[in-house]
C-alpha cells in the first residue's frame, strides 16, 4: 500500500470514528454556558466571534460589559453600527482606576441585575457577560448567586462569561471552559495597546 493510500485509509477511519461519536451526541435542548478565562488575550475577542456566528443564524444577542466602563472599543463601535445587538456597558472602569470598592460593587450589582433580567426574559439566544469573572475575582459578586441565576435562565438562552481567574465553581458548572494561555505579548516588549487589535 502506498503512503497516499495508507493516509487515505487512516483518514477514513478517523472520519468514521468522528461520525459515530457525533451520531451519539444529543441536543441538550437548552442554551449552553461557556467560560472564557486565562491570562492570555482573546477571551472577549472569542466571545464576540461567537456573537457574529449567532447573528449569522439570525439569533438574538445581548451583551453586558461589567468592567470596561467608558473605554471605547472597536467591537462596541462595530455592533452599534450593525444595530443587531442589545448592549449594556455597566462598569465604571477598571477597578484600579476607580479605587472605590463600594462604587465598584454597586456597578457590578447593577450590571448583574441587568444580566439576570435579560437571561430570564426568553428574548435572547445568546448573552455575553463580558469581564464578569473580574467582578467575581474581587468578590463584587457572589459566585453561587451567579450560578443560581444561570440555572434560572430561560431554556433558550446560552451565556458566555469572560475574564481572567474564573471561579472553580463556575468552571465546574459550565458546559465549556476555554483557558487562554499567554505565550508572548507585545506589552512585554514595551509596545502599547493597538487600536483594532487590543481594543
Amino acid at each position: 500500500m502506498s503512503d497516499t493510500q495508507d493516509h487515505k485509509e487512516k483518514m477514513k477511519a478517523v472520519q468514521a470514528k468522528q461520525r459515530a461519536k457525533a451520531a451519539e451526541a444529543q441536543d441538550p435542548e437548552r442554551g449552553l454556558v461557556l467560560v472564557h478565562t486565562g491570562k492570555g488575550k482573546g477571551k472577549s475577542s472569542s466571545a464576540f466571534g461567537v456573537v457574529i456566528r449567532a447573528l449569522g443564524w439570525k439569533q438574538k444577542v445581548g451583551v453586558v460589559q461589567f468592567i470596561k466602563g467608558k473605554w471605547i472599543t472597536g467591537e462596541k463601535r462595530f455592533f452599534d453600527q450593525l444595530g443587531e445587538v442589545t448592549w449594556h456597558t455597566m462598569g465604571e472602569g477598571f477597578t484600579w482606576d476607580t479605587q472605590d470598592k463600594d462604587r465598584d460593587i454597586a456597578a457590578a450589582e447593577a450590571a448583574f441585575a441587568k444580566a439576570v433580567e435579560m437571561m430570564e426574559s426568553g428574548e435572547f439566544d445568546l448573552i455575553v457577560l463580558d469581564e464578569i469573572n473580574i467582578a467575581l475575582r474581587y468578590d463584587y459578586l457572589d459566585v453561587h448567586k451567579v450560578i443560581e441565576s444561570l440555572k434560572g435562565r430561560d431554556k433558550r438562552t446560552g451565556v458566555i462569561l469572560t475574564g481572567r481567574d474564573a471561579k472553580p465553581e463556575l468552571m465546574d458548572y459550565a458546559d465549556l471552559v476555554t483557558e487562554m494561555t499567554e505565550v508572548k505579548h507585545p506589552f512585554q516588549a514595551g509596545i502599547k495597546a493597538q487600536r483594532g487589535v487590543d481594543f
Side-chain angles (χ1 to χ4, degrees), residues 10 16-17 21 27 31 56 72 79 87-88 136 143 147 149 195:
K10 285 180 182 176
K17 188 175 180 181
K21 192 172 182 180
D27 185 345
I72 298 169
F79 289 118
W87 193 292
H88 299 280
L136 287 164
V143 67
I147 291 170
S149 296
R195 181 181 291 176

Side-chain angles (χ1 to χ4, degrees), residues 26 31 45 60 77 86 102 112-113 118 130 135 169 181 187 197:
Q26 297 181 8
S45 301
K60 182 81 184 290
R77 291 169 56 97
T86 301
D102 290 339
F112 186 62
M118 292 169 71
D130 190 37
E169 301 94 328
T181 303
F187 187 72
V197 173

Side-chain angles (χ1 to χ4, degrees), residues 15-73:
Q15 289 174 342
K17 188 175 180 181
Q18 182 61 30
R19 278 193 291 271
K21 192 172 182 180
E24 292 173 6
Q26 297 181 8
D27 185 345
E29 298 182 1
R30 62 172 173 79
L32 301 180
V33 173
L34 289 66
V35 172
H36 295 181
T37 193
K39 294 182 179 176
K41 271 187 59 54
K43 297 175 286 292
S44 296
S45 301
S46 178
F48 294 127
V50 178
V51 166
I52 291 167
R53 182 176 288 158
L55 292 173
W57 289 105
K58 305 290 187 202
Q59 293 181 349
K60 182 81 184 290
V61 178
V63 174
V64 178
Q65 284 190 306
F66 279 75
I67 302 294
K68 289 200 165 86
K70 295 181 175 70
W71 192 20
I72 298 169
T73 62

Side-chain angles (χ1 to χ4, degrees), residues 58-106:
K58 305 290 187 202
Q59 293 181 349
K60 182 81 184 290
V61 178
V63 174
V64 178
Q65 284 190 306
F66 279 75
I67 302 294
K68 289 200 165 86
K70 295 181 175 70
W71 192 20
I72 298 169
T73 62
E75 59 267 22
K76 173 75 164 77
R77 291 169 56 97
F78 172 76
F79 289 118
D80 281 350
Q81 291 169 21
L82 192 63
E84 295 289 321
V85 176
T86 301
W87 193 292
H88 299 280
T89 302
M90 308 292 286
E92 296 196 31
F94 288 99
T95 56
W96 51 85
D97 291 333
T98 63
Q99 299 296 307
D100 185 338
K101 185 175 182 180
D102 290 339
R103 194 170 78 177
D104 287 347
I105 290 171

Side-chain angles (χ1 to χ4, degrees), residues 122-179:
E123 295 176 19
F124 295 92
D125 297 288
L126 176 67
I127 298 173
V128 175
L129 305 182
D130 190 37
E131 304 290 2
I132 190 173
N133 291 334
I134 303 297
L136 287 164
R137 177 175 78 183
Y138 288 114
D139 297 319
Y140 295 165
L141 298 171
D142 177 81
V143 67
H144 301 291
K145 186 175 177 183
V146 170
I147 291 170
E148 285 306 308
S149 296
L150 289 167
K151 289 178 180 177
R153 74 191 186 282
D154 188 84
K155 189 174 163 183
R156 162 187 179 184
T157 305
V159 182
I160 305 176
L161 303 94
T162 75
R164 288 179 177 224
D165 301 318
K167 296 276 189 176
E169 301 94 328
L170 182 60
M171 292 194 286
D172 287 344
Y173 175 73
D175 296 292
L176 180 147
V177 177
T178 299
E179 186 166 8

